Amino acid sequence: MEITDKLVAYVAELAHLKLDGEQRAQAAADLARMIGYVDKLSELDTEGVEPMSHAFPVTNVFREDEVRDSMDRELVLANAPAAKDGCFLVPKTVE
């Protein structure tokens, strides 16, 4: 992939960077090095290797959801400093 001034300017704009001439040249060299590294990775033989999202096997460690009875609303609201229509009443924070 060819790294052009237009590409460097586009990437800089996406990153909200203001680059001068010397910085653009350095960014172009850096981008070329990064893309060269990724190209080198494409030389690897990945035949028969399953895609993965983690280097280690990860399983869901959360428990299954189960429906349970919750606390009585009146009992919970008994601890509230203020309540209205079955809900906690809190001070207004936005004008």
Side-chain angles (χ1 to χ4, degrees), residues 6 8-9 13-15 24 30 45-46 49 55-56 59 68 73-76 82 87-88 94:
K6 185 177 178 182
V8 173
E13 183 180 337
L14 289 176
R24 280 185 187 222
D30 291 343
D45 180 22
T46 57
V49 178
F56 301 104
T59 57
R68 299 186 298 180
R73 183 183 295 247
E74 298 304 320
L75 180 64
V76 172
C87 298
F88 288 99
V94 178

Side-chain angles (χ1 to χ4, degrees), residues 27-46:
D30 291 343
L31 281 172
R33 253 191 5 263
M34 287 184 256
I35 292 172
Y37 181 73
V38 172
D39 284 342
K40 187 172 197 92
L41 289 175
S42 67
E43 296 173 8
L44 293 173
D45 180 22
T46 57

Side-chain angles (χ1 to χ4, degrees), residues 5-81:
D5 285 336
K6 185 177 178 182
L7 178 64
V8 173
Y10 178 67
V11 172
E13 183 180 337
L14 289 176
H16 299 285
L17 298 174
K18 292 183 181 180
L19 303 176
D20 61 23
E22 185 178 313
Q23 291 171 328
R24 280 185 187 222
Q26 182 63 45
D30 291 343
L31 281 172
R33 253 191 5 263
M34 287 184 256
I35 292 172
Y37 181 73
V38 172
D39 284 342
K40 187 172 197 92
L41 289 175
S42 67
E43 296 173 8
L44 293 173
D45 180 22
T46 57
E47 188 68 33
V49 178
E50 279 190 45
M52 60 183 180
S53 61
H54 298 284
F56 301 104
V58 177
T59 57
N60 188 355
V61 295
F62 299 113
R63 64 172 171 73
E64 290 292 323
D65 287 339
E66 57 186 54
V67 177
R68 299 186 298 180
D69 291 333
S70 60
M71 293 181 71
D72 181 57
R73 183 183 295 247
E74 298 304 320
L75 180 64
V76 172
L77 289 175
N79 294 318

